[in-house]
Amino acid sequence: MKKVLNALFREVVQEADTNPAFRARIETALGLDDKKKPEVKAGDAGSPHPKRPSNRRPPAVLDPVHLARQGEDLLRSELAKLDIEQLRDVVADYGMDTGKLVLKWRDPERIIERIVEVARGRAQKGSAFRDQAPSDETADRPDRDDGSQTKS
């Protein structure tokens, strides 16, 4: 337990040393900010309107999961209309590159395959619980005295 707490406090101290907004929040939480008010610049993590990082990609021009729910053919046809940078925007905006490899690919077809694969998986997620009629097994069970079905 001692090692874990030491590691935690080391991380907090390091973050407070490198991040003025975090340091200000810690000082406020500990009641140490009465002496001085720290300056929080626009774009700091604690400011109400943080500055968007300059290396961030533009938002995607389409929603691949929504299109996948309407059909894979529609998704593929809409993706085929996009250039490689727009495809990369879709991948980045929808978090489809957990291994940080897809954005390096140069073949649009390969990127489209990845988008279709992930979008199809997300579109079908939870479908086992949607729009299901009672199975024949539960319909054939006799009712109990309290009106509910018996368990097999």
Side-chain angles (χ1 to χ4, degrees):
M1 181 67 150
K2 186 176 180 180
K3 282 184 177 181
V4 173
L5 290 174
N6 280 332
L8 171 68
F9 284 115
R10 268 187 259 125
E11 290 296 320
V12 170
V13 168
Q14 182 180 0
E15 183 66 19
D17 286 342
T18 59
N19 185 342
F22 180 76
R23 181 184 185 110
R25 291 195 312 269
I26 293 292
E27 288 176 349
T28 301
L30 295 175
L32 301 175
D33 66 334
D34 294 336
K35 299 171 189 159
K36 63 173 189 157
K37 287 286 184 186
E39 281 187 36
V40 179
K41 299 175 187 172
D44 281 350
S47 76
H49 302 290
K51 183 179 173 186
R52 192 175 170 127
S54 61
N55 62 345
R56 185 150 178 191
R57 297 192 69 90
V61 295
L62 55 79
D63 181 351
V65 178
H66 177 72
L67 291 174
R69 286 187 183 122
Q70 295 177 8
E72 187 176 324
D73 293 335
L74 176 63
L75 174 60
R76 285 183 185 280
S77 68
E78 291 298 315
L79 290 173
K81 297 175 186 175
L82 304 180
D83 64 31
I84 194 161
E85 287 304 314
Q86 290 173 318
L87 291 170
R88 289 176 177 159
D89 293 342
V90 170
V91 169
D93 203 20
Y94 285 89
M96 297 178 164
D97 190 15
T98 56
K100 304 294 184 216
L101 295 173
V102 180
L103 293 179
K104 297 176 185 175
W105 294 348
R106 296 175 188 260
D107 179 18
E109 286 304 315
R110 190 173 179 198
I111 297 172
I112 288 173
E113 286 303 316
R114 176 64 179 169
I115 293 171
V116 168
E117 173 189 343
V118 174
R120 187 175 46 219
R122 290 181 184 175
Q124 294 172 351
K125 191 172 187 171
S127 62
F129 301 103
R130 290 187 216 122
D131 302 329
Q132 282 190 338
S135 67
D136 292 338
E137 180 181 316
T138 58
D140 293 338
R141 292 183 189 161
D143 289 339
R144 294 192 319 193
D145 293 339
D146 63 357
S148 62
Q149 299 283 328
T150 58
K151 293 184 180 180
S152 298

